[in-house]
Amino acid sequence: MNRSFIKSIDSFQVFMLGEGVPCYVQRYCKQLDASQWQWFYEQMLEPVTFVTDTAYLFYVLKWILKYDFDDLSYAVYFQDIMDPECNPQSLIKDEWLPVLWNRYGQRLKKELFGIRCSLNDESVTDVIGDDAAIF
């Protein structure tokens, strides 16, 4: 998928409301006001650069857009780590994995700990390993 849609907010809006994106993305975008469009555009700028496949980004938006996210980069990273389809390889570019881990590692551990507590299951390190094991 061509990444030119993200060059400006105008091209972004046209693309996101067009037939080239999944219907769940269109539905989400049709509800946005001007300030929300600006926020969503800014949220999309980074993930577009760090995923290996832009189509994958739109694929994971299917789940992300169902809840109120505060940081799309984190939400994409979380989806990649928790990959329910168990893809053998991350869909985040290798050079971005340590950047995202450094930025979001503590938040990820905290959220996984919360999941662990609610499930009363494995420890966080059993789920994600120690810092070195991820990279």
Side-chain angles (χ1 to χ4, degrees):
M1 183 180 288
N2 188 338
R3 296 174 192 219
S4 62
F5 71 92
I6 201 88
K7 288 187 179 192
S8 72
I9 191 161
D10 293 331
S11 63
F12 178 70
Q13 287 176 312
V14 168
F15 179 79
M16 298 300 271
L17 294 171
E19 292 183 17
V21 298
C23 59
Y24 51 85
V25 174
Q26 289 176 11
R27 274 193 306 272
Y28 176 82
C29 291
K30 285 177 182 177
Q31 300 175 51
L32 301 177
D33 65 24
S35 65
Q36 291 168 325
W37 267 110
Q38 183 66 41
W39 180 83
F40 187 48
Y41 171 72
E42 291 170 5
Q43 289 290 306
M44 286 286 286
L45 288 171
E46 188 175 67
V48 165
T49 65
F50 70 66
V51 294
T52 59
D53 180 4
T54 308
Y56 168 71
L57 175 58
F58 283 89
Y59 176 71
V60 299
L61 283 174
K62 183 175 189 172
W63 291 278
I64 295 169
L65 296 179
K66 290 181 180 186
Y67 62 89
D68 291 331
F69 59 93
D70 62 343
D71 184 336
L72 188 57
S73 292
Y74 175 75
V76 171
Y77 179 61
F78 186 84
Q79 284 290 323
D80 192 65
I81 295 289
M82 299 303 289
D83 181 14
E85 296 180 4
C86 300
N87 290 318
Q89 186 173 349
S90 174
L91 292 170
I92 295 175
K93 293 175 183 175
D94 289 341
E95 65 271 18
W96 274 90
L97 287 171
V99 172
L100 296 171
W101 173 254
N102 287 335
R103 187 186 307 163
Y104 299 122
Q106 288 304 108
R107 180 176 176 181
L108 181 65
K109 284 182 179 183
K110 182 178 178 182
E111 288 188 15
L112 290 175
F113 182 76
I115 292 168
R116 178 201 160 278
C117 288
S118 66
L119 297 175
N120 199 14
D121 209 358
E122 300 173 280
S123 73
V124 171
T125 54
D126 290 339
V127 175
I128 66 169
D130 61 23
D131 295 358
I134 291 180
F135 306 103

